[in-house]
Amino acid sequence: MWEDDELRAALRAEVEGPDPRPATGLDEVLRRGRRRVLLHRTGAVAAAFALVGGAALGIGSLKGLAQQSSPADSGLTTITSAPTTTTAPPVVLWPQVNVPARTPKSTFSSDRYPPPAGWKVLTPEQCDGESDPSWTEDESAYPLSGELATTLVRALQLHSGKARVGEFTQVKMPRRPWDIQDGYSNWTDLSDEEGAGSIALVRGHYPQGLTPTQAADQELFGAMNCAPPRRATLENGVVVQYYETTVHLPHQSLIKNLRVYHPSGAYYVLVLRNYSSKDFRVSEEQGAFDRFGAGRETLPLDEARLQAIGEELARTAKP
C-alpha cells in the first residue's frame, strides 16, 4: 500500500501545480477550480487517479467500484463486448502542429518506485504542463449520458483490434477538500495477451467565442508533452489532437491524452493508461482506492488505433 507521505506530497504538488494567481472575482476562481477537477479526473498525471485523485474517496463510492458500478445506480446500460476480430485499415498518422518543441525541464526517474523486474527502464525528458487553468468548464460533476457511453464503447469495439473492451464503469467521486464539487470517474478496461490497461473519458466545454482550432491551440502543451501534438480537422469542423506518451510515478505509469473540440463548444478528453481496475483495491481502513498493481509494460492500444478511436468519437458523438 502506498503510505509514503513524501511521495503523496510530491505527486499532489505535481498534479495541482503552484498556487493560483490572485483572482479578482468569483467566476475566475470557479473556472480554475473546475479546470483542476478536470485534470484530476482525466488522469493527465497518473497519480491524479492512482494516489491523489483517490486519496479521499468515500466508502460508499469504494463499494460501488467493488461492485463494478451497478447500472441501476449510474443510469447507464452496461455494455460488454467479445474480442473483436476486425482488422483496422492502414492509418496515416496525423501531422504534428507546426510549432517548436519545448525545452525539457527534467528527466523522469523511477528509482524510488521502480517498474516490475524485466521491464525496460524508461528515462524520458519531461516538460511542465502549459495550459491556462481557467479556460475550460468541466462537466464531470454529472454522470455521462448512456448515449455517450455507448458511443465510446462502440468506437472502442470498432478500432481496438484484438484488445478486449471491458464494461463501461462509472463511479461517483465525492468532493475532496481541494475540489469544489463532487464528480464522476468514467473508464473502460482494455486487455490482450500482454495484460490490461484502460481508457478514461471526461466531457466538458470550452468558452464561447473560440473556434475549435483556437481552443486546441490553447492546449498545445497541456499534457506535460515536450513535442507538439498531432492534429486533424474533420469535415464536420471538429478538431482532434493527441499528445506524445508521458511517463509518471508510481512504477512507470504511461499516459496518452487525446482531446476533441467540437464547433458547438463540447470538449472530450480521452486518456489511455497502462493500468486498469485490476490494479486497484478498496481500502476500507483508509476510505480510498489503493493502487497496488503496476499494470502492463505497454499501452493497450498503439497510436494509430487511438487516433482512429478519437476520430470515430469526433464523428459520432452528439454535442
Side-chain angles (χ1 to χ4, degrees):
M1 186 175 295
W2 296 95
E3 297 176 338
D4 189 306
D5 293 337
E6 182 181 350
L7 172 62
R8 290 179 186 274
L11 292 175
R12 183 175 290 111
E14 182 179 4
V15 175
E16 294 186 344
D19 292 336
R21 291 164 293 180
T24 57
L26 178 61
D27 289 344
E28 185 176 355
V29 174
L30 290 177
R31 283 196 300 270
R32 288 175 179 169
R34 292 190 187 100
R35 177 60 172 167
R36 292 209 171 169
V37 172
L38 176 64
L39 291 175
H40 279 302
R41 286 172 182 152
T42 58
V45 177
F49 187 82
L51 292 176
V52 179
L57 296 182
I59 295 299
S61 66
L62 296 175
K63 291 179 179 177
L65 176 64
Q67 298 167 1
Q68 288 297 302
S69 186
S70 165
D73 295 335
S74 64
L76 296 175
T77 301
T78 299
I79 306 164
T80 350
S81 72
T84 175
T85 57
T86 303
T87 301
V91 177
V92 177
L93 297 181
W94 299 330
Q96 288 182 297
V97 180
N98 188 23
V99 295
R102 296 169 63 221
T103 302
K105 300 292 186 181
S106 61
T107 300
F108 174 78
S109 172
S110 58
D111 288 348
R112 286 197 66 189
Y113 301 98
W119 284 22
K120 179 181 178 181
V121 176
L122 304 178
T123 57
E125 295 179 322
Q126 293 187 303
C127 291
D128 296 331
E130 283 190 359
S131 61
D132 183 350
S134 66
W135 77 273
T136 188
E137 301 290 335
D138 173 28
E139 296 179 7
S140 68
Y142 310 100
L144 294 180
S145 68
E147 183 178 17
L148 181 55
T150 300
T151 299
L152 171 62
V153 173
R154 286 177 178 168
L156 293 172
Q157 291 171 343
L158 283 172
H159 300 289
S160 294
K162 295 182 179 180
R164 181 178 180 84
V165 181
E167 293 183 0
F168 182 89
T169 303
Q170 184 160 242
V171 175
K172 188 172 183 179
M173 301 175 66
R175 182 174 63 85
R176 299 156 293 172
W178 54 86
D179 288 336
I180 62 171
Q181 59 192 9
D182 292 348
Y184 289 82
S185 182
N186 317 284
W187 75 91
T188 302
D189 284 349
L190 298 169
S191 56
D192 56 23
E193 64 276 3
E194 295 183 30
S198 59
I199 191 165
L201 173 66
V202 166
R203 185 184 191 277
H205 65 276
Y206 57 85
Q208 294 182 355
L210 291 181
T211 66
T213 299
Q214 289 170 334
D217 283 345
Q218 292 198 26
E219 292 203 312
L220 286 173
F221 297 99
M224 300 182 71
N225 51 304
C226 295
R230 295 185 180 274
R231 177 187 294 178
T233 302
L234 308 185
E235 67 277 1
N236 59 0
V238 177
V239 172
V240 188
Q241 70 182 17
Y242 64 91
Y243 306 78
E244 63 183 332
T245 301
T246 52
V247 187
H248 308 274
L249 290 174
H251 315 300
Q252 282 183 173
S253 295
L254 305 181
I255 299 292
K256 195 171 188 67
N257 269 252
L258 181 146
R259 304 179 186 186
V260 178
Y261 308 84
H262 195 279
S264 67
Y267 170 72
Y268 303 99
V269 183
L270 281 176
V271 187
L272 186 64
R273 313 178 291 200
N274 69 329
Y275 52 91
S276 72
S277 58
K278 296 179 181 179
D279 300 308
F280 296 90
R281 58 191 169 200
V282 175
S283 172
E284 298 267 349
E285 180 181 350
Q286 293 187 352
F289 289 132
D290 171 28
R291 168 84 179 277
F292 70 95
R296 50 182 284 159
E297 184 173 6
T298 60
L299 289 169
L301 299 172
D302 62 22
E303 194 171 40
R305 292 196 180 279
L306 180 63
Q307 177 178 296
I309 290 165
E311 185 172 349
E312 184 75 23
L313 183 68
R315 293 184 187 280
T316 58
K318 294 183 179 179

